[in-house]
Amino acid sequence: MLEGILPQIHPPVTLLGVVLVLLLLYLLSSTTGPGKEPPGPRPLPLLGNLLHLDLKRLQVSLCELSKKYGPVFTIHLGPKKVVVLAGYKTVKQALVNYAEEFGDREISPMFRDTIKGHGVLFSNGNSWKEMRRFSLTNLRDFGMGKRRSEEKIIEESRYLIEVFENFKGEPFDTTQPVNYSVSNIICAIVYGTRFDYADPAFKKMVDRANENIRLAGSVEIRLYNMFPWLRWCCGWWLVNRTQIVKNTEKNLEEISGLVQGLRDTLNSQDLRGFVDSFLVRQQEESDQLGSYFHNNNLQYTVGNLFAAGTDTTGTTLRWGLLLMAKYPHIQDQVQEELSRVIGDREPRMEDRRNLPYTDAVIHEIQRLANIVPMSIPHTTSCDVTFQGYVIKKGTTVIPLLTSVLQDEEEWETPHSFNPGHFLDEKGCFVKKDAFLPFSAGRRACLGESLARMELFLFFTFLLQRFRFTPPPGVSEEDLDLTPCLGFTLNPSPHRLCAVSRT
C-alpha cells in the first residue's frame, strides 16, 4: 500500500507548499493599524522577532523598540505574540485602571513544568484569588510590615553584622550572608522560626532557590519558553531546565519535611506562623470538596514566598552595598546623617522620617537596580481595547518596568545614580508616582511592606557599623554595575570590604 503512495509525493512541491503557507502566515501576522492590534516589527515565520532582540538584554531591546513603535507595541517571541507596555503612564494605566483586564498571570512552559498552576505567584482563577487573599491576611497577622516584623529584622541584622565582622575588613562576597539573613525573615514569618547560617539544609534551600531565579532568565530558558517542543527533540541541550526541575523538587521535599514537623506539633490555640494558619484552615475545610487548601497549594505558596521574598530584597540590598562602595561621597552623606540623627543606638523604623537623605538613597537604589525589569508577564483576561488598540483575551503582556523606572519624562537623570530624584530643594524626602519597583495593581508584590522595612533596617544597620569599599588595588571606577543575566538582575560577581567604623 505504502509503496504505491510514496512515489507520488514530490518533495520540492511539498516544500514549496510549506514555504507558501509560512509566507501567508507571515503576511497575515504583520497586519496592524489604529483600532486593530498594536504595531510592531514584522515577524519572520517561526522565529518571530528574534533577529530584533538581544536575549541577554531583552529589556534593553524592548525599550529601544518602544522608541520606534510607541508605548503599546507587539513583538513575536518565536511564534508567540506578545504586547509590550512601555513608560510610566501606559504601565500604570494598564495595571491600575484596567486591573481586571490585564490582571491574569502568564504561565510560561518552564513555570508550568515546575509549579503546575499551584501557589500564589504563577497561578490564576479562583485558586490564585484564594491563595493571595489568605496570604495577605496571614502575612499581616504574623507581623508583615508591623512592629513584630521590625523586631525580627533587628535581631537578624545583629546576626548579619557578626558575619560581616568576622571578615575583619578583608574582601568577601556578600551574596550568601545577605541572602541567608533576608531568607530568615521569611522563615520566621512562614515557619515561626529562624535558621542558623551554618545549617546545611537551610543553606542549600536558599542557594537552590537563588540558582533557579538566575537560570530562569537564561537564554536557554527563554528559548525553551518560546519553543517548548525543544524538550522532546533535544532535551539533552536543556541543562538549565533540568537543573531548575531538580532544584524545585528538592526544595519541595525540604518544605514538605518542615511542614510535616509543624503538622505533628500543631496547636490551633498557639499559631507560630503562616504554615500553622494554613494547616488549621486545611483541617476546617477537610470535608469540603474542591477546597483550595490542599498540600500542593501549601507547599508551592511557601516556596513562592521563600524564593521571591529572599531574592528580591537580598538582591536589592547587595546592589545598595555595591553602590555605596562605588559612590563613596554618597556613602559619606548617609553615614553623616545616621550619626547625626541616630548616633550609636540601633535604628528603628520610626527613624525613617528623620532620615530623608538615607530614605532617598534607598529608593534610588531600588530605582537604578531595576531588578525585575520586565515585571512578571501578565495575560489579558478578556478582549480589551486599550489606547485605541484591540488586545485579544489570553495575550501575553509585558509591563516593562525598566521603562517606568528610567522614564525620561519622570526622572531628571534616569540612567545615573541620583538620590536627588527623591528630594526637594529643602532636602526633604518626596514620593514619586513613577517609583514602581513592586509593580502595581492586582499582581503587585505581596510583600511590599515587608521588603520596604527590611531594606531600611538592614541598610541602616550595616551603614551605621561599616564602611564599604572596593578590595585593595581596585578603584571605585573599576566596580562594575553591569547586571548578571537572570529572572531578576543581580550585580555581577564582586567582593567588598566591610571596614568597621567603631
Side-chain angles (χ1 to χ4, degrees):
M1 186 73 170
L2 288 175
E3 292 176 359
I5 295 176
L6 289 175
Q8 299 175 28
I9 297 177
H10 301 288
V13 175
T14 304
L15 181 59
L16 179 61
V18 171
V19 170
L20 289 173
V21 169
L22 290 175
L23 181 60
L24 179 61
L25 291 173
Y26 169 50
L27 293 173
L28 289 174
S29 66
S30 65
T31 303
T32 184
K36 298 182 180 179
E37 294 182 350
R42 180 172 292 180
L44 293 172
L46 188 63
L47 293 178
N49 296 123
L50 289 188
L51 300 183
H52 294 88
L53 305 171
D54 179 355
L55 293 184
K56 292 183 178 180
R57 302 166 70 242
L58 185 54
Q59 71 278 3
V60 176
S61 296
L62 297 182
C63 284
E64 288 300 313
L65 287 171
S66 72
K67 294 176 183 178
K68 179 175 182 180
Y69 295 103
V72 183
F73 66 95
T74 300
I75 59 165
H76 289 73
L77 298 178
K80 186 172 190 174
K81 185 179 293 184
V82 176
V83 170
V84 180
L85 308 175
Y88 163 64
K89 292 177 182 177
T90 294
V91 170
K92 184 177 181 182
Q93 182 187 13
L95 299 186
V96 177
N97 298 346
Y98 290 76
E100 285 288 330
E101 292 87 341
F102 288 97
D104 279 357
R105 173 69 73 222
E106 196 254 348
I107 315 295
S108 68
M110 185 70 256
F111 290 121
R112 192 178 301 119
D113 293 346
T114 52
I115 298 180
K116 302 168 185 175
H118 302 303
V120 72
L121 198 56
F122 296 99
S123 58
N124 285 308
N126 290 332
S127 180
W128 168 75
K129 289 178 183 178
E130 196 68 49
M131 289 303 101
R132 183 175 174 89
R133 186 183 304 115
F134 180 85
S135 297
L136 275 172
T137 299
N138 282 275
L139 289 175
R140 287 169 182 158
D141 287 348
F142 289 105
M144 183 178 74
K146 300 178 182 177
R147 178 59 65 91
R148 192 169 168 184
S149 288
E150 182 176 4
E151 296 303 327
K152 289 183 173 76
I153 299 166
I154 289 172
E155 178 189 10
E156 205 60 46
S157 296
R158 296 173 187 143
Y159 287 114
L160 184 58
I161 285 171
E162 286 182 19
V163 174
F164 278 25
E165 285 178 337
N166 289 338
F167 289 99
K168 302 184 184 302
E170 294 297 315
F172 69 102
D173 186 341
T174 61
T175 304
Q176 289 187 326
V178 167
N179 284 341
Y180 297 159
S181 292
V182 171
S183 183
N184 257 334
I185 305 304
I186 291 293
C187 289
I189 292 173
V190 170
Y191 300 116
T193 187
R194 70 176 298 276
F195 296 87
D196 190 276
Y197 296 166
D199 183 325
F202 170 67
K203 291 171 65 176
K204 287 178 181 176
M205 280 188 69
V206 177
D207 293 346
R208 281 191 295 261
N210 289 124
E211 182 181 35
N212 272 7
I213 290 171
R214 177 177 60 81
L215 294 178
S218 65
V219 171
E220 176 200 305
I221 297 302
R222 285 179 174 170
L223 288 172
Y224 171 63
N225 287 333
M226 297 177 204
F227 309 104
W229 44 263
L230 288 173
R231 176 183 173 187
W232 308 112
C233 66
C234 50
W236 53 269
W237 174 69
L238 297 172
V239 292
N240 288 350
R241 180 193 174 277
T242 300
Q243 189 61 44
I244 290 173
V245 171
K246 287 181 179 178
N247 286 343
T248 302
E249 289 175 348
K250 187 60 181 175
N251 272 6
L252 286 172
E253 182 183 321
E254 296 286 349
I255 291 169
S256 180
L258 291 167
V259 168
Q260 188 58 50
L262 293 171
R263 194 190 305 271
D264 292 341
T265 55
L266 181 63
N267 177 358
S268 61
Q269 302 305 311
D270 183 22
L271 301 181
R272 295 158 291 190
F274 175 87
V275 171
D276 279 6
S277 237
F278 195 104
L279 292 173
V280 169
R281 182 71 173 270
Q282 190 177 51
Q283 289 178 350
E284 293 171 351
E285 297 192 7
S286 59
D287 58 346
Q288 292 186 22
L289 196 63
S291 170
Y292 296 110
F293 290 86
H294 48 72
N295 289 338
N296 279 334
N297 262 342
L298 172 56
Q299 291 178 17
Y300 282 98
T301 298
V302 168
N304 292 164
L305 296 173
F306 181 80
T310 297
D311 183 83
T312 52
T313 304
T315 297
T316 305
L317 187 57
R318 289 176 54 237
W319 273 113
L321 301 182
L322 177 61
L323 286 164
M324 291 302 95
K326 178 80 171 177
Y327 301 109
H329 64 287
I330 293 178
Q331 184 173 191
D332 288 340
Q333 290 178 258
V334 170
Q335 291 176 330
E336 185 281 325
E337 186 178 65
L338 290 173
S339 297
R340 174 166 42 84
V341 175
I342 297 178
D344 294 330
R345 68 171 174 82
E346 293 182 334
R348 310 289 303 197
M349 281 307 299
E350 63 190 24
D351 293 318
R352 183 163 59 180
R353 65 176 178 269
N354 297 318
L355 296 166
Y357 187 79
T358 302
D359 200 12
V361 167
I362 294 170
H363 279 70
E364 182 67 356
I365 290 167
Q366 289 183 269
R367 187 196 70 81
L368 192 68
N370 175 37
I371 65 168
V372 193
M374 296 183 292
S375 187
I376 302 177
H378 295 221
T379 59
T380 46
S381 60
C382 59
D383 291 352
V384 55
T385 300
F386 182 72
Q387 292 193 5
Y389 299 113
V390 173
I391 305 173
K392 295 185 180 300
K393 178 181 179 179
T395 299
T396 297
V397 176
I398 295 177
L400 194 57
L401 292 188
T402 289
S403 68
V404 177
L405 297 174
Q406 297 178 1
D407 191 326
E408 295 180 357
E409 294 184 5
E410 302 291 334
W411 308 99
E412 183 181 355
T413 58
H415 304 291
S416 302
F417 187 60
N418 178 11
H421 286 139
F422 296 93
L423 296 167
D424 64 15
E425 64 278 0
K426 296 180 180 179
C428 297
F429 179 82
V430 290
K431 294 182 178 180
K432 298 296 285 285
D433 291 339
F435 180 71
L436 295 180
F438 300 102
S439 193
R442 298 175 76 211
R443 295 285 178 164
C445 175
L446 265 174
E448 178 175 346
S449 61
L450 178 64
R452 288 178 180 274
M453 182 179 281
E454 288 180 278
L455 288 172
F456 177 79
L457 289 172
F458 277 123
F459 185 78
T460 52
F461 263 82
L462 292 173
L463 268 290
Q464 183 188 50
R465 188 63 64 93
F466 302 104
R467 180 161 189 82
F468 292 92
T469 66
V474 178
S475 69
E476 289 90 2
E477 292 76 15
D478 291 332
L479 290 176
D480 187 8
L481 298 184
T482 304
C484 282
L485 178 65
F487 193 75
T488 58
L489 298 184
N490 275 261
S492 297
H494 66 277
R495 296 190 302 163
L496 298 176
C497 298
V499 181
S500 177
R501 298 180 67 217
T502 57

